[in-house]
Amino acid sequence: HLDVKEQNRGEEDSEEEPKLKYERLANGVTEILQQDAASCMTVHDKFLALGTHFGKVFLLDIQGNVTQKYEISSVKINQISLDESGEHVGICSEDGKVQVFGLYTREGFHENFDCPIKVVALHPQFSKSNNKQFVTGGNKLLLYERNWLNRWKTSTLHEGEGTITNVKWRANLIAWANSVGVKIYDISSKQRITNVLRDNTSLRPDMYPCSLCWKDNTTLIIGWGSSIKMCAVKERDPTEIRDLPSRYVEIVSAFETEFFISGLAPLADQLVTLYFVKENSEHMEEEFRARPRLDIIQPLPESCEEISSDALTVRNFQENECRDYRLEHSEGESLFYIISPKDIVVAKERDQDDHIDWLLDKKKYEEALMAAEISFKNIKRHDVQKIGMAYINHLVEKKDYDTAARKCQKVLGKNMDLWENEVYRFKTIGQLKAISQYLPRGDLRLRPAIYEMILHEFLKTDYEGFATLIREWPGELYNNMTIVQTVTDHLKKDPTNSILLTTLAELYTYDQRYDRALEIYLRLRHKDVYQLIHKHNLFSSIEDKIVLLMDFDKEKAVDMLLDNEDKISTDRVVEELKGRPELLHVYLHKLFKRDHHKGQKYHERQISLYAEYDRPNLLPFLRDSTHCPLEKALEICQQRHFVEETVFLLSRMGNCRRALQMIMEELGDVDKAIEFAKEQDDAELWEDLISYSIDKPPFITGLLNNIGTHVDPILLIHRIKEGMEIPNLRDSLVKILQDYNLQILLREGCKKILVADSLSLLHKMHRTQMRGVRVDDTAQPFSVVVFHCRHMFHKECLPSPGTIPGGQYCNICSAKRRGPGSGILDMKK
């Protein structure tokens, strides 16, 4: 609900019916304006185009639902322009970007300027090949025209009077505003025909911008500050032309308004004006921003007459400036869009239904009945249907069939006899389509023949309407087989009609004949084919259709097959795809990515497939696979001269010297050769690398920089020939010395740590061995020997010291070191 307050109304006028009704543009717009702010908008009869402060452009349907989104810039979109066909759009932004492109074609113009571009306007007939023209305005107005070479030619229409703040193109006339005034340019004669100076020069043009609006092909309406001028472009008398332009401008109306103008739009011979309002506070002297006003006025030569005036409570109106509001209109339907940063309001002329609702709201029931000839609202219950039928009859007589059909829902209610009578009446007058969307389809239903009659009517003239009804109507409303047969008959005349085929598939699906539906969906490459397979478990039906599925969408098809290996085996898929190796590769590649072992018996075949269709993934496959035959892989890679893959296979098969040779001779990559030698850590490989590199200065440089930690650099330096010029030799030698010095420092550090640890452990051992050992009293009568390990023996139980080299030792500890049973043998000895 939008809060609208009528302005300047007395008690008598408060009963006057409003001229406009308002509602907020919601749906997708609500979410957009919560996260962003509207900066501009343009209106086409079919859709809307909204620009934001964060550089995005949204295409919206009339209800505000987003149908397309474009990321144009990161800053404010200044203006959007559409041609009359709604097929081409021009966009400009604060960072100087200008884009002109087709919404349904790939043609386009993209340019970045070094200054903000405030305005852009396409030729109204831009879609025609001979009208490929548009203008942009920043600090000057530029005209772009596409020549016969398909190149854009640029010409300057005007400059030197400040920033261009607005531009409107109608037929052959371009009107634009800058800091000085408004100019009009005739594109057909290539002449500027007028200069209308602005009146109030004290207002900043950037804060109170000029509003321009073409009422028709020759009438321009200018609003600036609080001044409005209506300018008529007229043809000059041929006798007066001489050096003057062939056209001139006459100001037919000029007057001042009470508030500042934010936007203008024509409404027949009247004018819709959007005002920015400032009011004085009751408690403070300063002004504050009030709600914007939307007025309908009747222009007069030197004044205007107010027809209606509404104040609109748009979101955040207290924070908005005059420049933050815009007024756009749709000429086809008399819709007016009030755009502010955080809100978009739609104003539309009130229709007959609104008039009746207003009369009823004012409790003027007699006038409501007179206005609509009859009304069924607020009448006694038993009279509602009678009055309602009269109202429907009146609407039918007026040929307002859609309204009449819509009223049937409320008037006829649950009376099935009345419903059938009305359907047959609509059939008689040829308006079955009008009533089709309002027929009962819930718990209360008409006879199947009624629905079938309407479906047959649509099939005769409107395939799309027929398809819509099939999707919207529950299948229980009609005899499915009857409709299937009728559609089949029509397809005999037009066998490739995609609408009929899709509808037939839907009918088959409802009838649970999923195989038939699947065949049609595959034939049409319909997006619902995968959903149908999953939903109804049709995997057994697609075993012979795998190629068709993959031709339609390889990624979806492979994912589905891999997710359902229990229903369609890998062997079956491979068998079906053997005639299409490019598809087989896609399947086996994804299978390998999921599980390196599942398709191991196909790894040999995959080598050829990777080599043919996907070489970048061949080497990763060879690295990860433990099942592919290396000899076969080597043969294929050598035939195709795949050096990196051949090097990997040779090294994996143990032929590292040949692998290194290929790196050096065929790749000529010293860094890769050094890396390979480091990985293998084989002295013979290092020798081979040095021998190969000794007459190649770049290779020597690479070796000097990298082998210091693996091979003694002296061995390489001694073999370098006298007088050989080696690039960056000094830096390489310095690096060797630095690496060597680092190794010395590391060794010395390790040595210090080792000595400190050894000394610490020695002290610990010495303290431990110096501790006393408790000997049990029972051992006093005997001579006892106690070892440092705390084991005690009777002296008589130990071997004589003279018989043991090195003296006595603990038999238990010695046996633990030498193995089981050794202690017993020592005791026996």
Side-chain angles (χ1 to χ4, degrees):
H1 175 71
L2 183 69
D3 182 12
V4 179
K5 180 180 178 183
E6 290 187 85
Q7 299 289 322
N8 303 326
R9 292 284 184 264
E11 288 298 323
E12 294 182 3
D13 293 336
S14 64
E15 292 298 308
E16 183 176 341
E17 184 178 351
K19 302 296 183 184
L20 301 171
K21 59 181 179 180
Y22 302 85
E23 61 181 356
R24 280 196 166 90
L25 195 60
N27 300 318
V29 172
T30 303
E31 182 179 351
I32 292 171
L33 298 187
Q34 285 175 351
Q35 303 172 3
D36 203 339
S39 60
C40 60
M41 193 173 89
T42 191
V43 178
H44 190 269
D45 290 342
K46 300 176 183 176
F47 63 95
L48 314 173
L50 173 65
T52 74
H53 280 261
F54 288 171
K56 300 178 179 62
V57 172
F58 297 88
L59 298 188
L60 314 167
D61 62 19
I62 304 302
Q63 287 74 39
N65 298 300
V66 177
T67 60
Q68 187 72 42
K69 175 182 175 183
Y70 300 97
E71 300 276 356
I72 301 297
S73 174
S74 60
V75 296
K76 175 183 173 185
I77 300 297
N78 282 327
Q79 192 165 6
I80 304 170
S81 174
L82 294 168
D83 66 343
E84 291 179 354
S85 68
E87 297 177 0
H88 296 82
V89 61
I91 303 169
C92 65
S93 58
E94 192 67 16
D95 57 358
K97 289 183 180 177
V98 175
Q99 296 191 21
V100 178
F101 56 89
L103 295 176
Y104 312 108
T105 62
R106 294 187 177 181
E107 65 172 321
F109 171 89
H110 302 268
E111 186 67 62
N112 290 329
F113 294 88
D114 56 1
C115 67
I117 301 300
K118 299 293 185 180
V119 294
V120 63
L122 304 186
H123 191 295
Q125 303 292 327
F126 188 87
S127 57
K128 295 183 179 180
S129 58
N130 58 338
N131 290 327
K132 298 296 184 184
Q133 298 172 310
F134 66 94
V135 293
T136 64
N139 50 24
K140 54 186 173 182
L141 188 70
L142 298 177
L143 172 66
Y144 291 81
E145 301 174 277
R146 179 177 281 177
N147 59 25
W148 62 278
L149 292 175
N150 211 27
R151 295 177 180 173
W152 290 101
K153 172 190 171 185
T154 308
S155 55
T156 301
L157 299 185
H158 188 67
E159 63 180 334
E161 292 184 355
T163 303
I164 311 295
T165 57
N166 201 348
V167 65
K168 296 292 180 183
W169 192 329
R170 180 75 174 246
N172 290 322
L173 298 177
I174 305 172
W176 72 92
N178 57 29
S179 302
V180 175
V182 176
K183 281 80 174 170
I184 300 178
Y185 182 82
D186 188 346
I187 197 74
S188 59
S189 64
K190 302 187 183 304
Q191 294 176 316
R192 199 173 79 190
I193 59 178
T194 191
N195 180 15
V196 182
L197 298 176
R198 69 184 178 116
D199 295 331
N200 191 343
T201 57
S202 64
L203 296 175
R204 287 174 50 184
D206 60 328
M207 296 297 291
Y208 298 87
C210 177
S211 296
L212 298 176
C213 174
W214 286 100
K215 179 180 178 182
D216 52 43
N217 287 354
T218 59
T219 305
L220 177 67
I221 307 170
I222 303 171
W224 208 331
S226 58
S227 170
I228 293 179
K229 294 179 180 178
M230 300 187 69
C231 306
V233 179
K234 298 185 177 182
E235 298 289 338
R236 196 182 297 276
D237 190 328
T239 61
E240 299 177 358
I241 291 181
R242 300 178 187 174
D243 296 331
L244 298 174
S246 59
R247 291 180 170 184
Y248 69 99
V249 169
E250 178 181 341
I251 298 177
V252 296
S253 177
F255 51 90
E256 289 292 316
T257 62
E258 185 179 357
F259 305 105
F260 297 112
I261 298 160
S262 291
L264 299 167
L267 178 61
D269 63 339
Q270 297 172 340
L271 192 60
V272 179
T273 58
L274 176 63
Y275 290 130
F276 171 70
V277 180
K278 284 188 175 182
E279 295 181 353
N280 292 321
S281 172
E282 296 179 0
H283 306 290
M284 295 178 288
E285 295 182 359
E286 68 268 21
E287 293 181 323
F288 67 95
R289 302 177 188 119
R291 298 187 296 175
R293 277 178 42 166
L294 191 71
D295 287 10
I296 299 177
I297 60 175
Q298 180 67 58
L300 302 173
E302 297 181 358
S303 63
C304 66
E305 178 184 346
E306 182 184 295
I307 306 300
S308 71
S309 179
D310 299 321
L312 310 180
T313 307
V314 300
R315 296 188 181 98
N316 295 0
F317 70 87
Q318 302 92 336
E319 301 172 11
N320 294 338
E321 296 285 352
C322 182
R323 63 183 178 185
D324 295 324
Y325 294 108
R326 297 198 181 202
L327 178 64
E328 299 290 342
H329 72 287
S330 172
E331 296 181 357
E333 298 182 20
S334 294
L335 296 176
F336 304 93
Y337 295 82
I338 299 94
I339 301 104
S340 66
K342 289 296 181 180
D343 208 358
I344 298 176
V345 176
V346 186
K348 60 180 71 174
E349 286 187 281
R350 298 170 63 85
D351 56 19
Q352 184 70 1
D353 282 349
D354 297 315
H355 175 56
I356 296 172
D357 290 340
W358 183 81
L359 290 172
L360 291 173
D361 185 57
K362 298 295 182 182
K363 301 187 185 303
K364 299 181 180 182
Y365 301 116
E366 185 176 351
E367 291 182 36
L369 289 170
M370 291 176 61
E373 298 272 337
I374 196 71
S375 172
F376 57 87
K377 294 184 179 180
N378 205 34
I379 306 297
K380 291 181 180 179
R381 184 175 299 276
H382 63 274
D383 292 331
V384 168
Q385 203 164 71
K386 179 179 178 181
I387 297 173
M389 286 302 301
Y391 185 33
I392 292 173
N393 293 336
H394 170 71
L395 292 171
V396 170
E397 289 174 5
K398 288 174 57 180
K399 298 184 179 181
D400 190 354
Y401 302 117
D402 185 71
T403 304
R406 187 169 67 250
K407 297 299 181 185
C408 287
Q409 285 184 309
K410 295 181 179 180
V411 174
L412 304 183
K414 301 178 181 179
N415 192 321
M416 296 298 106
D417 292 335
L418 284 178
W419 266 112
E420 292 197 8
N421 290 337
E422 285 303 306
V423 171
Y424 281 114
R425 178 165 72 153
F426 274 75
K427 180 180 187 301
T428 302
I429 60 178
Q431 293 296 325
L432 275 178
K433 290 183 180 179
I435 202 171
S436 63
Q437 57 183 314
Y438 304 109
L439 290 181
R441 62 183 75 173
D443 296 334
L444 294 171
R445 299 173 183 173
L446 307 178
R447 291 183 295 111
I450 300 295
Y451 300 101
E452 292 167 14
M453 177 177 68
I454 293 174
L455 289 173
H456 284 295
E457 181 69 22
F458 271 89
L459 261 178
K460 292 178 183 177
T461 58
D462 186 358
Y463 286 164
E464 291 188 359
F466 171 77
T468 300
L469 289 182
I470 293 297
R471 284 193 297 271
E472 292 180 351
W473 284 0
E476 299 88 355
L477 295 180
Y478 49 86
N479 187 316
N480 199 66
M481 290 304 300
T482 301
I483 303 302
V484 167
Q485 185 58 50
T486 306
V487 175
T488 305
D489 293 340
H490 278 265
L491 280 170
K492 291 177 182 178
K493 305 172 188 176
D494 189 3
T496 60
N497 190 291
S498 60
I499 297 175
L500 287 181
L501 286 170
T502 303
T503 308
L504 182 59
E506 292 172 357
L507 290 167
Y508 279 139
T509 301
Y510 177 77
D511 210 29
Q512 297 185 1
R513 289 191 280 176
Y514 303 121
D515 290 353
R516 293 284 189 89
L518 181 61
E519 289 178 6
I520 295 174
Y521 279 140
L522 281 174
R523 176 180 169 187
L524 295 175
R525 297 192 170 191
H526 197 278
K527 60 181 177 61
D528 291 342
V529 65
Y530 298 101
Q531 180 183 353
L532 183 71
I533 294 169
H534 281 289
K535 185 175 181 180
H536 302 293
N537 197 23
L538 303 180
F539 296 98
S540 60
S541 302
I542 65 169
E543 288 186 347
D544 59 344
K545 300 178 179 66
I546 294 173
V547 173
L548 287 174
L549 283 167
M550 291 195 67
D551 280 338
F552 175 30
D553 190 325
K554 291 192 287 291
E555 298 298 323
K556 279 190 177 180
V558 170
D559 287 339
M560 182 186 70
L561 292 169
L562 293 178
D563 290 339
N564 297 275
E565 289 182 80
D566 56 326
K567 298 166 185 170
I568 302 181
S569 67
T570 299
D571 294 340
R572 175 69 187 197
V573 176
V574 172
E575 178 65 23
E576 286 295 318
L577 296 177
K578 64 182 180 181
R580 295 288 299 277
E582 74 281 6
L583 299 180
L584 178 60
H585 166 68
V586 175
Y587 174 77
L588 290 177
H589 173 65
K590 278 210 167 186
L591 175 65
F592 179 76
K593 285 295 184 182
R594 287 199 180 192
D595 190 328
H596 292 351
H597 306 288
K598 267 191 177 178
Q600 56 183 300
K601 66 180 181 180
Y602 301 111
H603 283 198
E604 180 175 349
R605 185 186 299 187
Q606 280 187 267
I607 300 170
S608 299
L609 293 174
Y610 276 110
E612 182 68 26
Y613 302 107
D614 190 8
R615 184 189 171 183
N617 281 313
L618 174 57
L619 187 55
F621 170 75
L622 295 174
R623 292 183 189 277
D624 295 337
S625 173
T626 57
H627 305 286
C628 68
L630 299 180
E631 295 82 0
K632 178 69 174 179
L634 180 62
E635 178 185 348
I636 292 172
C637 292
Q638 287 178 332
Q639 288 174 353
R640 293 175 176 267
H641 303 289
F642 291 173
V643 178
E644 292 188 10
E645 291 83 353
T646 302
V647 167
F648 169 75
L649 290 168
L650 287 172
S651 64
R652 189 168 171 182
M653 296 169 70
N655 195 350
C656 296
R657 299 187 73 175
R658 174 58 183 152
L660 179 64
Q661 182 181 359
M662 288 192 70
I663 295 173
M664 294 187 295
E665 293 180 354
E666 299 194 30
L667 293 180
D669 191 335
V670 63
D671 294 329
K672 185 167 285 193
I674 293 170
E675 189 64 30
F676 181 78
K678 287 181 179 179
E679 289 175 0
Q680 305 302 321
D681 198 19
D682 186 335
E684 292 184 358
L685 284 182
W686 283 111
E687 178 60 30
D688 290 346
L689 180 56
I690 292 171
S691 299
Y692 180 82
S693 305
I694 203 66
D695 59 346
K696 298 175 181 61
F699 274 48
I700 294 176
T701 301
L703 285 171
L704 289 173
N705 288 334
N706 290 280
I707 68 171
T709 56
H710 293 76
V711 179
D712 187 353
I714 297 299
L715 298 176
L716 174 61
I717 295 171
H718 282 165
R719 296 174 64 175
I720 298 174
K721 295 179 181 179
E722 290 288 339
M724 178 179 288
E725 184 175 335
I726 299 170
N728 301 317
L729 177 60
R730 186 194 65 178
D731 295 340
S732 300
L733 293 175
V734 169
K735 186 176 184 301
I736 289 173
L737 293 173
Q738 289 175 341
D739 291 345
Y740 180 75
N741 185 45
L742 179 61
Q743 291 182 31
I744 296 299
L745 291 174
L746 287 172
R747 289 182 181 179
E748 290 179 353
C750 291
K751 181 180 178 181
K752 290 179 180 178
I753 294 171
L754 183 60
V755 169
D757 287 351
S758 299
L759 186 59
S760 174
L761 292 172
L762 179 61
H763 289 160
K764 183 178 179 180
M765 184 182 72
H766 184 260
R767 288 195 303 270
T768 302
Q769 292 180 348
M770 290 296 291
R771 290 176 183 171
V773 180
R774 182 178 179 276
V775 179
D776 196 347
D777 293 343
T778 57
Q780 286 180 358
F782 305 95
S783 296
V784 176
V785 177
V786 181
F787 292 95
H788 286 296
C789 59
R790 299 296 193 269
H791 291 131
M792 296 182 294
F793 296 89
H794 294 129
K795 186 175 182 181
E796 291 79 3
C797 295
L798 292 173
S800 174
T803 63
I804 300 174
Q808 290 180 325
Y809 55 85
C810 174
N811 286 341
I812 295 175
C813 294
S814 177
K816 287 181 180 178
R817 289 193 295 270
R818 288 179 292 163
S822 56
I824 297 173
L825 293 175
D826 287 342
M827 295 296 291
K828 287 182 178 180
K829 291 179 182 178

